Amino acid sequence: DVKVTQSSRYLVKRTGEKVFLECVQDMDHENMFWYRQDPGLGLRLIYFSYDVKMKEKGDIPEGYSVSREKKERFSLILESASTNQTSMYLCASSLVGRWTEAFFGQGTRLTVV
Amino acid sequence: DQQVKQNSPSLSVQEGRISILNCDYTNSMFDYFLWYKKYPAEGPTFLISISSIKDKNEDGRFTVFLNKSAKHLSLHIVPSQPGDSAVYFCAALGETSGSRLTFGEGTQLTVNP
């Protein structure tokens, strides 16, 4: 069974704080993704990585950065948290390939106050 | 520009009846489609998929239909059960998107006992 684990289920942070969200997968997947889920907007891609130290911007990268120093770990960084970054954050991983599903972590509910 | 759209935010059906969830897409380069199911405070889980070379794929109570000419797909759940109550996301992959899933907004399905 693929396991994607996010370090926190719930986080509350203050405006202006630097926030780290961690994600680890145990299936040796090349691809890793960070999405955020907001009501009525579905899942929107923030960043993804297709290899160690490689990253590409998704649809909404502003205010975020990422780090992938090891294949199994993908971190999302909010440089200076703002209230409009209050959301559910979802990490996912997948194999390289055209027709392959992504496996998701349990999500981190981040509240910025 | 929303390339994958789920126009019904919610759907309510009686236990034992059929649930039909719909999804439309605009990008003709999409060639692989997936449905995910998401419970509150959990990550999405993969449900069923279909490639563009097929028009139907069935897995137990779940069937996905693809109409390429209309750029429309639907998920049928028969019979519906209360445990099916969740948010369902449609997602798509294509040659130009690589491994990046593009998601719809989601449909909240409620199955009433």
Side-chain angles (χ1 to χ4, degrees):
Chain A
D1 259 6
V2 176
K3 193 151 188 188
V4 180
T5 304
Q6 295 182 228
S7 53
S8 304
R9 292 295 297 268
Y10 301 95
L11 275 178
V12 180
K13 296 291 181 181
R14 294 193 181 277
T15 301
E17 274 193 80
K18 191 168 186 175
V19 181
F20 294 86
L21 303 183
E22 307 286 345
C23 175
V24 177
Q25 51 97 1
D26 66 359
M27 283 302 291
D28 205 34
H29 285 172
E30 293 86 359
N31 297 322
M32 295 190 75
F33 308 85
W34 277 105
Y35 288 88
R36 62 177 280 179
Q37 181 202 356
D38 300 288
L41 296 177
L43 277 70
R44 294 179 293 165
L45 182 64
I46 304 171
Y47 266 98
F48 76 101
S49 168
Y50 50 90
D51 201 351
V52 175
K53 297 192 187 293
M54 305 303 287
K55 61 185 179 186
E56 282 198 23
K57 293 180 179 179
D59 300 316
I60 51 164
E62 296 78 20
Y64 304 95
S65 62
V66 290
S67 172
R68 192 160 180 207
E69 296 296 319
K70 293 185 177 181
K71 189 175 186 179
E72 67 271 18
R73 187 178 297 270
F74 192 36
S75 303
L76 179 70
I77 304 153
L78 286 66
E79 298 291 342
S80 176
S82 63
T83 54
N84 64 12
Q85 292 178 310
T86 291
S87 187
M88 168 71 88
Y89 288 87
L90 295 158
C91 175
S93 72
S94 73
L95 289 167
V96 168
R98 286 293 317 288
W99 295 350
T100 178
E101 69 266 27
F103 298 86
F104 283 84
Q106 77 277 28
T108 298
R109 170 66 67 183
L110 173 67
T111 302
V112 182
V113 298
Chain B
D1 177 28
Q2 189 73 20
Q3 298 187 66
V4 178
K5 282 201 69 64
Q6 294 175 255
N7 289 313
S8 299
S10 63
L11 175 67
S12 182
V13 299
Q14 285 300 119
E15 182 178 4
R17 305 293 291 267
I18 185 171
S19 296
I20 300 176
L21 296 97
N22 294 303
C23 178
D24 297 294
Y25 61 96
T26 57
N27 189 337
S28 57
M29 299 301 289
F30 287 147
D31 59 5
Y32 190 62
F33 304 90
L34 307 89
W35 285 94
Y36 282 82
K37 174 180 178 179
K38 185 181 184 300
Y39 293 117
E42 292 185 15
T45 53
F46 169 73
L47 195 56
I48 192 169
S49 62
I50 188 167
S51 70
S52 58
I53 61 174
K54 293 186 171 182
D55 54 18
K56 176 183 174 182
N57 188 26
E58 192 171 353
D59 183 2
R61 296 186 297 114
F62 302 91
T63 303
V64 56
F65 295 91
L66 175 63
N67 182 335
K68 288 190 293 292
S69 60
K71 295 193 179 67
H72 177 82
L73 62 155
S74 60
L75 174 68
H76 293 209
I77 306 173
V78 184
S80 301
Q81 300 173 354
D84 295 329
S85 298
V87 177
Y88 289 79
F89 290 100
C90 169
L93 282 171
E95 194 173 330
T96 53
S97 61
S99 301
R100 301 170 48 156
L101 284 166
T102 300
F103 283 88
E105 304 93 328
T107 298
Q108 171 70 58
L109 173 65
T110 302
V111 181
N112 302 301

